Amino acid sequence: MKPDATREDIDRVVHVIETLGFRAHSLPGEGRTAIGITGNKGSVDPAHFENLSGVADAIRVTKPYKLISKDLRPEQSVIKVGNASIGGGSLAVIAGPCAIESEEQVLAVAKSVAESGAQFFRGGAFKPRTSPYAFQGMGEDGLKILSGVRDRYGLNIVTEAMDERGIDLVEKYGDCIQIGARNMQNFSLLKYAGQTRKPILLKRGLSATLDELLLAAEYIMAEGNYDVILCERGIRTFVDHARNTLDLSIVPALQRLSHLPVIVDPSHGTGHNYMVTPMARAGVAAGADGLIVEVHSQPERALCDGAQALTPKQYLELVDQVRRIHEVVSTGKPALQASI
Amino acid sequence: MKPDATREDIDRVVHVIETLGFRAHSLPGEGRTAIGITGNKGSVDPAHFENLSGVADAIRVTKPYKLISKDLRPEQSVIKVGNASIGGGSLAVIAGPCAIESEEQVLAVAKSVAESGAQFFRGGAFKPRTSPYAFQGMGEDGLKILSGVRDRYGLNIVTEAMDERGIDLVEKYGDCIQIGARNMQNFSLLKYAGQTRKPILLKRGLSATLDELLLAAEYIMAEGNYDVILCERGIRTFVDHARNTLDLSIVPALQRLSHLPVIVDPSHGTGHNYMVTPMARAGVAAGADGLIVEVHSQPERALCDGAQALTPKQYLELVDQVRRIHEVVSTGKPALQASI
Amino acid sequence: MKPDATREDIDRVVHVIETLGFRAHSLPGEGRTAIGITGNKGSVDPAHFENLSGVADAIRVTKPYKLISKDLRPEQSVIKVGNASIGGGSLAVIAGPCAIESEEQVLAVAKSVAESGAQFFRGGAFKPRTSPYAFQGMGEDGLKILSGVRDRYGLNIVTEAMDERGIDLVEKYGDCIQIGARNMQNFSLLKYAGQTRKPILLKRGLSATLDELLLAAEYIMAEGNYDVILCERGIRTFVDHARNTLDLSIVPALQRLSHLPVIVDPSHGTGHNYMVTPMARAGVAAGADGLIVEVHSQPERALCDGAQALTPKQYLELVDQVRRIHEVVSTGKPALQASI
Amino acid sequence: MKPDATREDIDRVVHVIETLGFRAHSLPGEGRTAIGITGNKGSVDPAHFENLSGVADAIRVTKPYKLISKDLRPEQSVIKVGNASIGGGSLAVIAGPCAIESEEQVLAVAKSVAESGAQFFRGGAFKPRTSPYAFQGMGEDGLKILSGVRDRYGLNIVTEAMDERGIDLVEKYGDCIQIGARNMQNFSLLKYAGQTRKPILLKRGLSATLDELLLAAEYIMAEGNYDVILCERGIRTFVDHARNTLDLSIVPALQRLSHLPVIVDPSHGTGHNYMVTPMARAGVAAGADGLIVEVHSQPERALCDGAQALTPKQYLELVDQVRRIHEVVSTGKPALQASI
């Protein structure tokens, strides 16, 4: 749409698209609104739209993904999460323990997270565990504890859901619904997540290609939820010195194709405490819009993934370093892009 | 339990286990019944059981998996699927199109499958597709067509479910519920599948280790459904000459640890028509208990995965060859095992 | 060339090619001789050749590989190794210990190998070891022991060379020079191997694609040595139940593109004794032209790779089984190919 | 040895080690000299040494690698390369074209490299190419051009050798011998490189584990050349958005075990121009001691790997950014390490 298109202009275009039997996706940006069309088989004649009032251009997106694409929306998306946002120039830090274990544990960590200036708190109430006999999370009780963290520290809550019931609960208690790596191609869950109004943090699967990650996001967006944050969390390779191989090259690759923000998880991405800070720095240096990091007040007693959790002290040092690196990248970036 | 343990002996042991707050899993075998215990934290004192009537031995299974293990049940499981069975010496052939597209298409293929002597028919009514804009399957209508195949040809129906509603429907119309590779660690779905009474065909995830596959089966069994068939369908590697890399070495590795039957999918495992027959032969030669193969009457017109589907003629030749190889393996196996 | 082309016709074409500044590669087959051209930049005008006496056709091979290609030589190559041959319908079995350790050890194994009807003996005198402090092989003394095996049992010797000096020595004492997986892209060594007159057994690198393997063979052939045998020996993946992942799908893929024989190494390909026989059967079932297998009279005392070596008894059972499977494949194959 | 050990003390210990039939490796550090022992089978009695004059301690290194290990030499190695050095706090930048094509091309790039303040120039005279028909490098003529770059710009020359003859030539014309990824386990070449007196830049193989890379360095050092620089250049995975997957987590992992400097190659590590700067930043942020980057005055005309080469302008921006990130890391590091 043109920058000066009115609400009525937009509604008229949406109406025409729906009359043709397709689905219209209205994505407002800073300067202008883009309207995506899905549900079509084959190409749609641009003549239907190009003479409508307020329409700037009708572009055919030929890639397998449409709504995630910069072809549709060239400017970067800024996703509202609770009272803060992810994407668009600032560096988002999401921190907290792997699993919610008790109120004391959570509040101790939350204090450090709030002190660091981070705006997002993470912690799992539903844990996808390889073994059925491992600790599966506190469930709704854990979500209530997380809700208390928001009340007390003003942190926005990011937490995982593993099924439809979980999505309903996280929608009720949290601010951002995480879809874990193992569910990245759980297409039924993606569709259900596309029907909520809370933003989705979508983690890359252990063996997902860039296309598969983007199409998983497209599954969510095709249902009408356009607030998706992509997350690199390490892939599975032959490497044995780290739990996963953090593939930071996907950060610039995603940003080249998609307007969605991209964050990095150096905790699951490495699995070792001593690697978390170097790889967090590397993720921000690669251009990530944020980090999701595990912090535990007593890593050695954690019920889940203690080996990779940072102490609050280590975490505060990490935040200091990545902020300074983010400044270098923010200053450097425009010049670089201009020169390519 | 001892070979001569009575129904009452078994019930008493189950009762004692449940009184202790644990879950009892009764797995009857040819000669004797094994009873697994789950739900315990830490080890359980064998003194609780070893003096009960009919108890032969109380063994501690120290591996992360219990119910799938040969430690618990040394003899191979034979899984009843409709009016036939998988595992235990015979070679199971499951064949049919990738997706159910129409009744004509399905009946044409079913005729060949029945002629080949196979006892199982496959075909997807719910299709997990990488793109939200690709054909997603016929849904319940497709299941009704499959049900017609059973009525007409006496073939037992194996078909995929992607969510709880799908499991309910496949339980109603089909004989065996397939859990696809992308859902192998969809733990909520595994638990739900563990509550049905239909056998589960569990496909290995694209980057799943042997332990992860066995623990996914354990998730199903821990809920009380012990009828699980494992399926190797190719893993994701750097290789570019095939769609996936069929990892046949997992066949003897699984059989060494688990009593569950193992089958091989040479169609998804390779993605190329010309590789399907050689790799089907290889799978049977490696010791697999069966095959699941894609057949299409007009592969060039298939809505999904046509490049890998066999023609009915190719399929009949495949069956002839793998039967002869299975004979060699069956004859050779006992001698080999004795000598190791 | 036409089937009735004379020696003079062939020489004239070679002469014309060389006059143009290119290199001519004459590959005689059963019915006719193909002459490959390398050293050209860009395409060569077929007009130079097509009117010469005895020329049947001038075909442009547009793939990156030429001499290995079926475009140049549609019929399968049969490679002469000592007094036997590999490729062309029969099943070659190459067996022996990983490393040559002593004369007694070698003769004990050689006896079993000869009894099994195999025509080739393997054993390393130069061992590529990950650590500089591990046993590096007996060197020339080991080659002399191997030479004794040929004298005593009539077995043809296949053994590895790691550098130019090694190639010279194996050329002197052995019948077939093995280039190991770690040297598959040691291009200087490949060129040197291309200048010997002994056949080369070229093992696939741990992370080599099909194209890279074929181009490594092309390096050897471009120097004038056309006797190359390709060997799948397992690739490196995330899998942890086997030392490597035997990628049997490369067998039909190579045979589709190349006239060179393809063999399989189930010993290095799995790293576990109990997997060797199942995967040897699978390799032959996939269509391999032969096997290379580790046998040791006392696997538990082997200086190298004992865990994967078969006992002589296990080896004899393996040979019996793979011969029967090869019969099934040989009978089945033509019919299958006709129907595709 | 003690900090005040004399030359004579050291010589005496070396003499004792050699008298015992072992090999002594004297590694002088800033404060003290360590002396490694190799060539032993089993452990060596410390009583032989601990009472000799100047000996501080006799430590048994039980890992498979000895000379690379921090157990032997806790402080980081600083490797002298020509008139500059790599390791030890400063950031080394090695830049230049992939292949030496002509004097004009090389001098144009060298000017930018010198202007950037880098002290090292790269460029290949011997090119390991997948195809025998691709441009194989200018050979000795290329080395002479590189030698001219040193004379004119004072840059130290880093260039690859693929065989023994190549090592002799690079030793003559260059300042640092690069061993490429494909030769990382060419053990004969490693041993030969261990006998030169020029430092070795050892690139990680495409599927090499951390242990294999360290043991390849150990091969070189065991021959007496202790000046080895390790280089991460991307590994082979299923990923298709980049040519290789740059595994930056190996940087902290190597630094934890070894005293050798570690550099990163973001050009081969990604294969795409637009990824090079982000991943160079990430490499430095992960803690690398340097970078090796491809720069070409006319990337679109490069005979080799043009797609990944930076323009001189992009390169200068990269250097500016990574210097600023290196400052953050250098300041941040000690604090962090203290707190773990």
Side-chain angles (χ1 to χ4, degrees):
Chain A
M1 303 298 293
K2 291 179 187 160
D4 58 357
T6 63
R7 188 69 248 162
E8 288 70 42
D9 291 340
I10 292 170
D11 289 348
R12 197 173 314 112
V13 174
V14 167
H15 179 73
V16 169
I17 292 169
E18 289 173 355
T19 307
L20 289 165
F22 308 141
R23 180 152 186 177
H25 302 268
S26 175
L27 286 86
E30 266 177 67
R32 56 187 199 85
T33 291
I35 303 175
I37 301 175
T38 63
N40 53 311
K41 310 203 169 192
S43 61
V44 178
D45 187 346
H48 290 302
F49 315 106
E50 55 198 8
N51 293 325
L52 293 178
S53 164
V55 170
D57 207 355
I59 302 160
R60 212 172 123 221
V61 178
T62 51
K63 304 215 187 70
Y65 22 77
K66 302 185 174 194
L67 303 175
I68 64 94
S69 171
K70 278 199 162 164
D71 291 354
L72 179 61
R73 181 195 175 101
E75 60 195 283
Q76 229 218 334
S77 283
V78 180
I79 311 287
K80 196 101 189 125
V81 175
N83 63 20
S85 60
I86 296 181
S90 64
L91 183 71
V93 178
I94 307 168
C98 181
I100 301 304
E101 296 164 19
S102 72
E103 195 162 12
E104 298 71 51
Q105 167 236 22
V106 167
L107 291 180
V109 176
K111 197 163 167 285
S112 301
V113 173
E115 278 171 16
S116 78
Q119 297 176 293
F120 309 95
F121 191 77
R122 60 153 290 158
F126 303 104
K127 300 302 304 170
R129 301 302 296 273
T130 304
S131 164
Y133 310 125
F135 174 58
Q136 308 267 320
M138 287 181 69
E140 190 166 358
D141 287 344
L143 293 176
K144 286 176 185 165
I145 294 175
L146 284 169
S147 195
V149 166
R150 185 180 36 217
D151 295 344
R152 186 143 168 189
Y153 291 108
L155 293 166
N156 300 292
I157 303 303
V158 178
T159 190
E160 178 162 0
M162 291 169 57
D163 47 27
E164 301 189 358
R165 201 180 64 90
I167 285 187
D168 292 345
L169 286 168
V170 175
E171 196 169 25
K172 181 173 164 195
Y173 292 103
D175 299 293
C176 179
I177 303 165
Q178 179 179 315
I179 306 264
R182 287 168 188 76
N183 278 318
M184 194 203 83
Q185 290 195 315
N186 177 347
F187 300 119
S188 299
L189 191 68
L190 296 177
K191 285 180 185 171
Y192 195 80
Q195 288 155 24
T196 72
R197 291 281 77 85
K198 285 280 165 76
I200 308 295
L201 173 57
L202 178 65
K203 292 196 139 190
R204 180 183 185 187
L206 271 79
S207 59
T209 62
L210 175 137
D211 269 11
E212 289 170 345
L213 172 57
L214 288 175
L215 285 165
E218 190 84 19
Y219 258 98
I220 297 167
M221 296 174 82
E223 298 292 322
N225 184 351
Y226 310 124
D227 292 339
V228 180
I229 300 146
L230 305 173
C231 180
E232 162 62 25
R233 49 78 71 212
I235 54 171
R236 191 158 273 179
T237 69
F238 66 85
V239 164
D240 55 7
H241 59 263
R243 190 164 143 190
N244 294 293
T245 299
L246 201 64
D247 172 22
L248 294 178
S249 73
I250 206 172
V251 175
L254 288 169
Q255 289 171 340
R256 196 176 148 93
L257 290 170
S258 175
H259 52 84
L260 299 174
V262 184
I263 69 168
V264 167
D265 178 346
S267 306
H268 287 92
T270 64
H272 295 285
N273 178 296
Y274 80 96
M275 287 181 178
V276 174
T277 298
M279 294 308 282
R281 290 191 310 242
V284 173
D289 297 291
L291 295 173
I292 179 163
V293 187
E294 287 189 13
V295 185
H296 198 283
S297 44
Q298 293 172 295
E300 65 287 359
R301 294 207 191 159
L303 290 184
C304 164
D305 285 347
Q308 72 199 31
L310 297 186
T311 63
K313 188 167 182 301
Q314 291 174 328
Y315 164 70
L316 290 171
E317 286 162 0
L318 174 153
V319 171
D320 171 58
Q321 292 181 36
V322 296
R323 287 243 166 85
R324 286 153 68 199
I325 288 176
H326 185 247
E327 221 177 278
V328 174
V329 176
S330 306
T331 341
K333 239 180 176 173
L336 171 76
Q337 289 181 332
S339 75
I340 290 175
Chain B
M1 304 298 293
K2 290 179 188 160
D4 59 355
T6 64
R7 189 66 248 166
E8 287 71 41
D9 291 339
I10 292 170
D11 289 347
R12 196 174 314 112
V13 174
V14 167
H15 179 73
V16 170
I17 292 169
E18 289 172 354
T19 306
L20 288 166
F22 308 141
R23 181 154 187 175
H25 301 269
S26 174
L27 286 87
E30 264 177 69
R32 58 187 197 86
T33 291
I35 303 176
I37 302 176
T38 63
N40 53 310
K41 311 203 170 194
S43 61
V44 178
D45 186 348
H48 291 303
F49 315 107
E50 54 198 10
N51 293 323
L52 294 178
S53 164
V55 170
D57 207 355
I59 301 160
R60 211 170 124 221
V61 177
T62 51
K63 304 216 188 70
Y65 21 76
K66 301 182 174 199
L67 304 175
I68 64 93
S69 172
K70 279 199 161 165
D71 291 353
L72 180 61
R73 181 194 173 102
E75 60 195 282
Q76 230 220 333
S77 284
V78 180
I79 311 287
K80 196 101 190 129
V81 176
N83 63 20
S85 59
I86 297 181
S90 64
L91 182 71
V93 178
I94 307 168
C98 181
I100 301 305
E101 296 164 19
S102 73
E103 193 161 14
E104 298 71 49
Q105 167 237 20
V106 167
L107 292 180
V109 176
K111 195 162 170 286
S112 300
V113 173
E115 278 172 16
S116 77
Q119 296 175 292
F120 309 94
F121 191 75
R122 59 152 291 159
F126 303 103
K127 299 303 304 171
R129 301 302 295 272
T130 303
S131 164
Y133 309 125
F135 174 59
Q136 308 268 321
M138 286 181 71
E140 190 166 357
D141 287 345
L143 293 176
K144 286 178 185 164
I145 293 176
L146 284 170
S147 194
V149 166
R150 184 180 37 217
D151 295 345
R152 184 140 168 193
Y153 291 107
L155 292 165
N156 301 291
I157 303 302
V158 178
T159 190
E160 179 162 359
M162 291 169 58
D163 47 28
E164 300 189 359
R165 201 179 63 90
I167 285 186
D168 292 345
L169 285 168
V170 175
E171 197 170 24
K172 182 173 164 196
Y173 292 104
D175 299 293
C176 179
I177 303 165
Q178 180 179 316
I179 306 264
R182 287 167 188 78
N183 279 319
M184 193 204 83
Q185 290 195 313
N186 177 347
F187 300 119
S188 300
L189 192 68
L190 297 177
K191 285 179 185 171
Y192 195 81
Q195 289 155 23
T196 72
R197 291 282 77 84
K198 287 278 164 78
I200 308 295
L201 174 58
L202 178 64
K203 291 196 141 190
R204 181 183 185 188
L206 269 80
S207 59
T209 62
L210 174 137
D211 268 11
E212 289 171 343
L213 173 56
L214 288 175
L215 285 165
E218 190 84 20
Y219 258 98
I220 297 167
M221 296 174 82
E223 298 291 323
N225 184 350
Y226 311 123
D227 293 338
V228 180
I229 300 146
L230 306 172
C231 179
E232 162 63 25
R233 47 79 72 209
I235 55 172
R236 190 158 274 180
T237 70
F238 67 85
V239 163
D240 55 6
H241 59 262
R243 189 165 145 191
N244 294 293
T245 299
L246 202 64
D247 171 23
L248 294 178
S249 73
I250 206 172
V251 175
L254 288 169
Q255 288 171 340
R256 194 176 151 94
L257 290 170
S258 176
H259 52 84
L260 298 174
V262 184
I263 69 168
V264 167
D265 177 346
S267 305
H268 288 91
T270 63
H272 294 286
N273 178 295
Y274 80 95
M275 286 181 179
V276 173
T277 298
M279 293 308 282
R281 290 192 308 242
V284 173
D289 297 291
L291 295 172
I292 178 162
V293 188
E294 286 189 12
V295 186
H296 198 285
S297 46
Q298 293 172 293
E300 66 287 359
R301 294 207 190 161
L303 290 184
C304 164
D305 286 347
Q308 72 199 30
L310 296 185
T311 63
K313 186 166 183 302
Q314 290 173 326
Y315 164 71
L316 291 172
E317 287 161 0
L318 174 153
V319 171
D320 171 59
Q321 292 181 37
V322 297
R323 288 245 166 84
R324 286 153 68 200
I325 288 175
H326 184 248
E327 221 178 278
V328 174
V329 177
S330 307
T331 339
K333 240 177 174 177
L336 172 74
Q337 289 181 330
S339 74
I340 290 175
Chain C
M1 305 297 295
K2 290 178 186 160
D4 60 354
T6 63
R7 189 68 249 165
E8 287 71 40
D9 291 339
I10 292 169
D11 289 347
R12 197 174 313 111
V13 174
V14 168
H15 179 72
V16 169
I17 292 169
E18 289 172 355
T19 306
L20 287 165
F22 308 141
R23 180 151 186 177
H25 301 269
S26 174
L27 285 87
E30 264 179 67
R32 57 186 198 86
T33 291
I35 303 176
I37 301 176
T38 63
N40 53 311
K41 310 202 170 195
S43 62
V44 178
D45 187 349
H48 290 303
F49 316 106
E50 55 197 12
N51 293 324
L52 293 179
S53 164
V55 170
D57 207 355
I59 301 160
R60 210 169 125 223
V61 178
T62 51
K63 304 217 187 69
Y65 21 76
K66 301 182 175 198
L67 304 175
I68 64 93
S69 172
K70 278 200 161 164
D71 290 353
L72 179 62
R73 181 193 173 103
E75 61 195 281
Q76 231 220 332
S77 284
V78 180
I79 310 287
K80 196 103 189 128
V81 176
N83 64 20
S85 59
I86 296 180
S90 65
L91 182 71
V93 178
I94 307 168
C98 181
I100 301 305
E101 297 163 19
S102 72
E103 194 162 12
E104 298 70 52
Q105 166 235 22
V106 167
L107 292 180
V109 177
K111 195 162 169 286
S112 300
V113 173
E115 278 171 18
S116 77
Q119 296 176 291
F120 309 94
F121 191 76
R122 60 152 291 158
F126 304 103
K127 299 302 305 171
R129 301 302 295 273
T130 303
S131 164
Y133 310 125
F135 175 58
Q136 307 268 320
M138 288 182 70
E140 190 165 358
D141 288 345
L143 293 176
K144 285 178 186 164
I145 294 176
L146 284 169
S147 194
V149 165
R150 185 180 35 218
D151 295 345
R152 185 139 166 193
Y153 291 107
L155 292 165
N156 301 291
I157 303 303
V158 178
T159 190
E160 179 163 0
M162 291 169 57
D163 48 27
E164 300 189 359
R165 201 180 65 90
I167 284 187
D168 292 345
L169 285 169
V170 175
E171 197 170 24
K172 182 173 163 195
Y173 293 104
D175 300 293
C176 179
I177 303 165
Q178 180 179 316
I179 306 264
R182 287 168 189 77
N183 279 318
M184 194 204 84
Q185 290 195 315
N186 177 346
F187 300 120
S188 300
L189 191 68
L190 296 177
K191 284 179 185 172
Y192 195 82
Q195 288 155 23
T196 71
R197 291 282 76 84
K198 286 279 164 76
I200 307 296
L201 173 58
L202 178 65
K203 290 195 140 190
R204 181 183 184 186
L206 269 79
S207 59
T209 62
L210 175 136
D211 268 12
E212 289 171 344
L213 173 56
L214 288 175
L215 285 166
E218 190 84 19
Y219 258 98
I220 297 168
M221 296 174 82
E223 298 292 322
N225 184 350
Y226 310 123
D227 293 339
V228 180
I229 300 146
L230 305 172
C231 179
E232 162 62 25
R233 49 78 73 210
I235 55 171
R236 190 159 273 179
T237 70
F238 66 85
V239 164
D240 55 6
H241 58 262
R243 191 165 143 188
N244 295 293
T245 299
L246 202 63
D247 172 23
L248 294 178
S249 73
I250 207 172
V251 174
L254 288 169
Q255 287 171 341
R256 193 175 151 94
L257 290 170
S258 175
H259 52 84
L260 298 175
V262 184
I263 70 168
V264 167
D265 178 347
S267 305
H268 288 91
T270 64
H272 294 285
N273 178 295
Y274 80 95
M275 288 181 178
V276 173
T277 298
M279 293 308 282
R281 290 191 310 241
V284 173
D289 297 291
L291 294 171
I292 178 163
V293 186
E294 287 191 12
V295 185
H296 198 285
S297 45
Q298 294 172 294
E300 66 287 0
R301 294 206 191 162
L303 290 183
C304 164
D305 286 345
Q308 72 199 30
L310 296 185
T311 62
K313 186 168 183 301
Q314 290 173 327
Y315 164 72
L316 290 172
E317 287 162 359
L318 175 154
V319 171
D320 171 59
Q321 293 182 36
V322 297
R323 287 243 166 85
R324 287 153 66 200
I325 288 176
H326 185 248
E327 222 178 278
V328 175
V329 177
S330 307
T331 339
K333 240 176 174 177
L336 171 74
Q337 290 181 329
S339 74
I340 290 175
Chain D
M1 304 298 294
K2 291 178 186 160
D4 59 355
T6 63
R7 188 68 250 163
E8 287 71 41
D9 290 340
I10 292 170
D11 289 348
R12 196 173 314 112
V13 174
V14 168
H15 179 72
V16 170
I17 293 169
E18 289 173 355
T19 306
L20 288 165
F22 308 143
R23 180 152 186 177
H25 301 270
S26 174
L27 285 88
E30 263 177 68
R32 57 187 200 85
T33 290
I35 303 176
I37 301 175
T38 63
N40 54 311
K41 313 205 167 188
S43 61
V44 178
D45 186 347
H48 290 302
F49 315 106
E50 54 199 9
N51 293 324
L52 293 179
S53 165
V55 169
D57 207 356
I59 300 160
R60 211 171 125 223
V61 178
T62 51
K63 305 216 186 71
Y65 23 77
K66 301 183 175 196
L67 303 175
I68 63 94
S69 172
K70 278 198 160 165
D71 291 354
L72 180 60
R73 181 194 174 103
E75 59 195 283
Q76 230 220 332
S77 284
V78 180
I79 311 287
K80 196 101 191 129
V81 175
N83 62 20
S85 60
I86 296 180
S90 64
L91 182 70
V93 177
I94 307 168
C98 181
I100 301 305
E101 296 164 18
S102 72
E103 195 163 11
E104 298 71 50
Q105 167 237 18
V106 167
L107 291 180
V109 176
K111 197 162 167 285
S112 300
V113 173
E115 278 172 14
S116 77
Q119 297 177 291
F120 309 94
F121 191 77
R122 60 153 291 156
F126 303 103
K127 299 302 304 170
R129 301 302 295 274
T130 303
S131 164
Y133 310 125
F135 174 59
Q136 309 268 319
M138 287 181 70
E140 190 166 358
D141 288 344
L143 292 176
K144 286 177 185 164
I145 293 175
L146 283 170
S147 194
V149 165
R150 185 181 36 218
D151 295 346
R152 185 142 169 190
Y153 290 108
L155 293 166
N156 300 291
I157 302 303
V158 178
T159 190
E160 179 162 359
M162 292 168 56
D163 49 26
E164 301 189 357
R165 202 180 63 89
I167 285 187
D168 292 346
L169 286 168
V170 175
E171 197 169 25
K172 183 173 165 196
Y173 293 103
D175 299 295
C176 179
I177 303 165
Q178 179 179 314
I179 306 264
R182 287 169 188 76
N183 278 318
M184 194 204 82
Q185 290 196 315
N186 177 348
F187 299 119
S188 300
L189 192 67
L190 296 177
K191 285 179 185 172
Y192 196 82
Q195 289 155 23
T196 71
R197 290 282 76 85
K198 286 279 166 75
I200 307 295
L201 173 58
L202 178 64
K203 292 195 139 190
R204 181 183 184 186
L206 270 80
S207 59
T209 62
L210 174 137
D211 268 12
E212 289 170 345
L213 173 56
L214 288 175
L215 285 166
E218 190 83 19
Y219 258 99
I220 297 168
M221 296 174 83
E223 297 292 322
N225 184 351
Y226 311 123
D227 293 340
V228 180
I229 300 146
L230 305 173
C231 180
E232 162 62 25
R233 47 78 72 210
I235 54 171
R236 190 158 274 178
T237 69
F238 67 83
V239 164
D240 55 7
H241 59 263
R243 191 163 142 191
N244 294 294
T245 299
L246 201 63
D247 171 23
L248 293 178
S249 73
I250 207 172
V251 175
L254 289 169
Q255 288 171 341
R256 195 176 150 92
L257 291 170
S258 175
H259 52 84
L260 297 174
V262 184
I263 69 168
V264 166
D265 178 346
S267 306
H268 288 91
T270 64
H272 294 285
N273 178 296
Y274 80 95
M275 287 181 179
V276 174
T277 298
M279 293 308 281
R281 290 191 310 242
V284 173
D289 297 291
L291 295 171
I292 179 163
V293 187
E294 286 190 12
V295 185
H296 198 285
S297 45
Q298 293 173 296
E300 66 287 0
R301 294 206 191 161
L303 291 184
C304 163
D305 286 345
Q308 73 199 30
L310 297 185
T311 63
K313 187 167 182 302
Q314 291 174 327
Y315 164 70
L316 291 171
E317 287 162 0
L318 174 155
V319 171
D320 172 58
Q321 293 182 36
V322 296
R323 288 243 166 85
R324 286 154 68 199
I325 288 175
H326 184 247
E327 223 177 277
V328 174
V329 177
S330 306
T331 339
K333 241 180 177 174
L336 171 75
Q337 289 180 333
S339 74
I340 290 175

